Amino acid sequence: MKALCWEGKGDIQYEEVPDPRIEHERDAIVKVTSCAICGSDLHLYDGFVPGMKKGDVIGHEFMGEVVEVGRGNKKLKVGDRVVVPFTICCGECEQCRRGYFSVCETTNRNKELADKMFGHGTAGLFGYTHLTGGYAGGQAEYVRVPYADVAPVQVPGTLTDEQVLFLGDIFPTGWQAVVQCDIQPTDVVAIWGAGPVGQFCVRSAVLLGARKVIVIDRLPERLTMALAGGADVAINFEDEKVLARLNDLTNGKGPDKCIDAVGLEAHVTGSIDSMMDRAKQAVMLETDRPHVLREMFMACRPAGVVSVPGVYGGLLDKIPFGAVMNKGLTIRTGQTHVNRWADDLLRRIEEGQIDPSFVITHTVALADGPEMYETFRHKRDGCIKVVMKPDGHAHHTGNGHAKVRP
Amino acid sequence: MMTKAIEPVRHAGSRGTAEIMAQGLGLFSIALGAAELLAPRKLARALDIEGQERLLQAYGLREIGTGIGLLMNDRRAPWMWARVAGDVLDLATLGAAMGSSRRREAVALAIGSVAMVTALDIACARALSQDSQHEERWYPDYSDRSGFMRPAEEMRGAAEFETPPEYRASLKTSEELPRTPNAANRTD
Ligand SMILES: NC(=O)c1ccc[n+]([C@@H]2O[C@H](COP(=O)([O-])OP(=O)(O)OC[C@H]3O[C@@H](n4cnc5c(N)ncnc54)[C@H](O)[C@@H]3O)[C@@H](O)[C@H]2O)c1
Ligand SMILES: [Zn+2]
Ligand SMILES: [Zn+2]
């Protein structure tokens, strides 16, 4: 079959790889009908996530049709249409039973490696590093889904791929980031990053009833999309001083809740400290560029909540932890516990509360994936979210740009 | 309802930050150059490369040159790349000294510092070059992509969702009514 493979920093290739097979009786094989590129994939692309190997099949946002089911799998049958959450979970361990699926204690088959890196390993993830199990990913024609009797979400035929695909990652991610903030009707919420995750944070904050939603980015097309989704104020950090503006907007108190939807690759020339971080990364004195964390800790209202869906990988410098401690901030973070929210969010899509397809700007054939990594990476051509079709037929969506390669 | 505010984008790019960084590096260049030019003996002794004082003074002049270039010019990118080239020369010289010097620790420290500055110079030079390329950036209008069927204002609070107990926050609003009576003392 064909798949997108990681061949090194900045090098994604559309390659022929062996077809996946059932390896365990709870497995299923899914024929992918749609998959997407995530901001997390960019961290792999840019070489900031340790534990990648050449030839790894990448991608963790995918859905499709079940074409084969292991003997012990009582939940799925051939022909089922499923969205597959990016977190692989067993459903039985203590963390899974708590609903903390992204820290499942059984599905990471490289737990020892991860224990060394993070103190304790976390759940297995599709198409990500070997620190999270090194499972082949979903930017492919077929995927082997381990523990397939737990996470996959069955979706009705009345909804399109585009409407349900993001149930596997970015919609629940934006939702959990906001839920973790425990939104009150009086809250001012500030969201850093208006990428796909930031966009779902904005809509979740609106649905969950925040008084005022502020979004921060530098790309006008993303800020406009955030305003369309109900954000009240957009701050372009290249044109304005973020901290000063946030204080102006809150009578000097600071936002009650702050969300980092940017992660470890804060824009290099966005600030002096990010440039210093970039230099330290080059000489291996630091792994991440945590500008947004620094800014949030300074901005957040005392006793407020800082929620971090943005991904970080290793060691961070010059974090104003004095501000965190003295202001009594609560920090909540983590890979998303997708299954905790997916059914409820599916219901909301069915009821017409939200249609997640708004975020798709590019639909292409999987073969065009390598080129689209470049486009998404450099935010060219108004690119916000790329959906790929392994069968080669691109479907035009919204006023985005569709490319077809038969 | 609150007014929507989006600042018009004057230019895409991050001239500001890279420019400030370039000025800082320009000043640094001049200071380092002055030290090499005026106290070459001290430096040579510290690194145990005595006999190379003239070379150090020449490097000092080079540093001062690029420093002034960076501070006096509006187009800083070429000067920044000149700094990068100078860094490479410095690293090569220090690398050679590593073999013969009896003060290897001092040389290693110097190499480390120069490497850090080199990385900074490269980041800055890149940013300056990129800025001049992306002065005009086309972007589409996504103002019709709300994701909601009804106007976004009407969706505020539409979720009717109860925060799970473990995600309740410590911040309780004092000036406004809490969502439920006695919320401040809620223990669940
Ligand atoms: N927790 C999870 O389970 C989970 C799931 C999906 C994605 N993520 C992470 O969420 C983050 C965002 O993902 P995405 O798909 O939206 O990526 P993206 O790269 O499209 O979006 C990041 C946005 O941040 C903006 N940005 C950069 N520097 C900034 C700064 N200093 N201040 C404000 N904005 C800044 C960029 O312009 C960009 O629009 C990534 O780190 C990704 O790995 C986490
Ligand atoms: Zn993702
Ligand atoms: Zn588990």
Side-chain angles (χ1 to χ4, degrees):
Chain A
M1 68 162 184
K2 293 286 189 190
L4 297 188
C5 298
W6 188 89
E7 293 295 348
K9 192 178 155 186
D11 189 7
I12 305 288
Q13 306 268 349
Y14 180 64
E15 287 173 19
E16 183 69 33
V17 298
D19 284 347
R21 321 174 270 107
I22 299 278
E23 292 174 26
H24 184 278
E25 59 169 22
R26 289 170 72 179
D27 290 355
I29 304 291
V30 169
K31 180 178 193 292
V32 178
T33 52
S34 299
C35 56
I37 309 179
C38 176
S40 302
D41 295 325
L42 291 183
H43 301 325
L44 307 179
Y45 188 56
D46 291 336
F48 287 117
V49 178
M52 292 297 293
K53 290 188 189 155
K54 287 194 172 174
D56 283 347
V57 176
I58 52 174
H60 59 267
E61 297 185 4
F62 63 99
M63 64 176 294
E65 187 192 327
V66 175
V67 289
E68 210 182 325
V69 187
R71 258 183 299 116
N73 189 321
K74 301 277 175 288
K75 178 176 159 184
L76 295 180
K77 53 184 190 318
V78 171
D80 283 353
R81 181 163 175 251
V82 290
V83 174
V84 183
F86 76 101
T87 43
I88 304 171
C89 43
C90 75
E92 288 150 10
C93 72
E94 208 167 78
Q95 300 287 18
C96 278
R97 280 183 285 135
R98 281 181 174 147
Y100 297 163
F101 299 109
S102 75
V103 291
C104 168
E105 291 167 326
T106 27
T107 55
N108 188 343
R109 54 188 178 187
N110 294 334
K111 198 168 175 317
E112 271 170 39
L113 195 68
D115 284 348
K116 285 209 187 82
M117 184 78 184
F118 298 136
H120 301 89
T122 53
L125 306 180
F126 286 102
Y128 214 56
T129 149
H130 287 261
L131 292 173
T132 52
Y135 290 98
Q139 288 165 8
E141 287 183 283
Y142 296 90
V143 189
R144 171 191 161 229
V145 179
Y147 300 91
D149 52 352
V150 184
V153 182
Q154 275 144 318
V155 286
T158 47
L159 297 170
T160 63
D161 277 20
E162 284 68 18
Q163 287 175 301
V164 291
L165 173 61
F166 305 130
L167 281 172
D169 182 353
I170 53 172
F171 184 15
T173 294
W175 182 261
Q176 178 176 310
V178 179
V179 165
Q180 287 182 156
C181 289
D182 186 19
I183 298 300
Q184 304 294 316
T186 49
D187 278 350
V188 177
V189 182
I191 298 162
W192 276 255
V197 171
Q199 298 296 338
F200 281 103
C201 288
V202 167
R203 279 132 188 106
S204 302
V206 167
L207 286 171
L208 291 166
R211 179 167 66 89
K212 189 184 236 174
V213 179
I214 303 168
V215 63
I216 303 151
D217 205 304
R218 73 189 176 91
L219 300 165
E221 66 276 21
R222 294 183 176 214
L223 290 172
T224 309
M225 189 188 267
L227 290 171
D232 302 288
V233 181
I235 302 180
N236 187 321
F237 67 80
E238 287 191 326
D239 296 338
E240 295 180 85
K241 291 214 163 22
V242 174
L243 284 180
R245 187 76 201 282
L246 288 175
N247 274 327
D248 282 353
L249 289 164
T250 54
N251 297 324
K253 288 175 193 281
D256 305 271
K257 313 286 161 71
C258 295
I259 300 176
D260 174 354
V262 176
L264 65 88
E265 292 186 67
H267 191 56
V268 173
T269 50
S271 59
I272 296 283
D273 63 296
S274 293
M275 286 193 80
M276 293 296 281
D277 288 331
R278 183 69 199 90
K280 287 188 205 165
Q281 283 177 322
V283 293
M284 294 194 284
L285 285 173
E286 190 182 21
T287 58
D288 302 11
R289 293 198 296 270
H291 169 75
V292 171
L293 288 181
R294 294 184 190 116
E295 202 159 73
M296 288 200 307
F297 292 157
M298 297 306 286
C300 192
R301 185 174 183 188
V305 180
V306 168
S307 170
V308 187
V311 163
Y312 288 88
L315 305 172
L316 287 58
D317 270 9
K318 306 268 182 311
I319 297 297
F321 213 79
V324 177
M325 187 275 160
N326 286 287
K327 294 206 281 188
L329 302 183
T330 299
I331 303 178
R332 291 199 166 124
T333 178
Q335 299 282 359
T336 305
H337 308 305
V338 177
N339 284 98
R340 177 123 187 214
W341 324 107
D343 292 341
D344 179 45
L345 295 180
L346 173 60
R347 173 183 63 82
R348 292 174 195 278
I349 298 171
E350 285 187 283
E351 288 175 2
Q353 239 176 61
I354 186 168
D355 180 348
S357 64
F358 75 87
V359 78
I360 304 170
T361 55
H362 291 63
T363 305
V364 302
L366 183 64
D368 294 322
E371 188 192 324
M372 291 320 291
Y373 266 86
E374 270 299 285
T375 304
F376 179 47
R377 162 75 178 79
H378 294 287
K379 279 91 180 128
R380 292 194 189 117
D381 195 26
C383 183
I384 299 183
K385 191 75 181 177
V386 180
V387 169
M388 299 180 293
K389 305 280 180 178
D391 68 5
H393 301 297
H395 309 277
H396 195 88
T397 39
N399 56 3
H401 311 260
K403 283 191 181 159
V404 191
R405 177 185 292 189
Chain B
M1 215 46 233
M2 267 136 312
T3 51
K4 303 242 171 197
I6 180 167
E7 301 290 312
V9 183
R10 288 189 297 275
H11 57 82
S14 317
R15 185 131 273 174
T17 315
E19 292 282 305
I20 295 167
M21 191 63 121
Q23 283 176 17
L25 288 164
L27 287 172
F28 171 76
S29 238
I30 293 173
L32 182 65
E36 286 174 318
L37 192 66
L38 302 175
R41 212 151 302 147
K42 239 185 168 170
L43 259 166
R45 216 174 305 137
L47 298 170
D48 189 32
I49 48 167
E50 274 128 325
Q52 307 230 44
E53 286 80 358
R54 276 284 151 79
L55 186 68
L56 282 176
Q57 285 184 313
Y59 283 7
L61 278 175
R62 185 204 76 212
E63 289 278 4
I64 294 175
T66 36
I68 292 177
L70 273 171
L71 291 181
M72 307 281 290
N73 276 284
D74 279 345
R75 285 194 59 236
R76 296 186 213 272
W79 292 97
M80 214 52 225
W81 286 115
R83 261 198 63 83
V84 174
D87 294 334
V88 173
L89 205 59
D90 287 348
L91 284 171
T93 312
L94 285 164
M98 197 68 183
S100 54
S101 169
R102 280 161 298 169
R103 308 203 52 183
R104 288 196 176 184
E105 269 171 40
V107 177
L109 197 66
I111 291 181
S113 325
V114 176
M116 170 74 196
V117 173
T118 309
L120 207 53
D121 286 342
I122 294 175
C124 192
R126 275 198 176 159
L128 290 171
S129 316
Q130 263 171 21
D131 277 357
S132 34
Q133 277 168 25
H134 290 288
E135 204 65 5
E136 270 175 56
R137 192 177 170 279
W138 168 89
Y139 56 87
D141 177 12
Y142 293 137
S143 56
D144 58 346
R145 291 179 169 239
S146 81
F148 298 129
M149 275 20 99
R150 290 189 276 140
E153 288 73 32
E154 289 176 28
M155 299 311 289
R156 210 164 281 253
E160 293 179 32
F161 178 87
E162 187 79 37
T163 306
E166 80 265 40
Y167 291 128
R168 302 241 167 101
S170 62
L171 190 80
K172 295 290 172 277
T173 48
S174 54
E175 64 273 49
E176 286 115 336
L177 282 173
R179 196 161 47 174
T180 52
N182 250 342
N185 302 319
R186 200 158 57 188
T187 51
D188 53 351

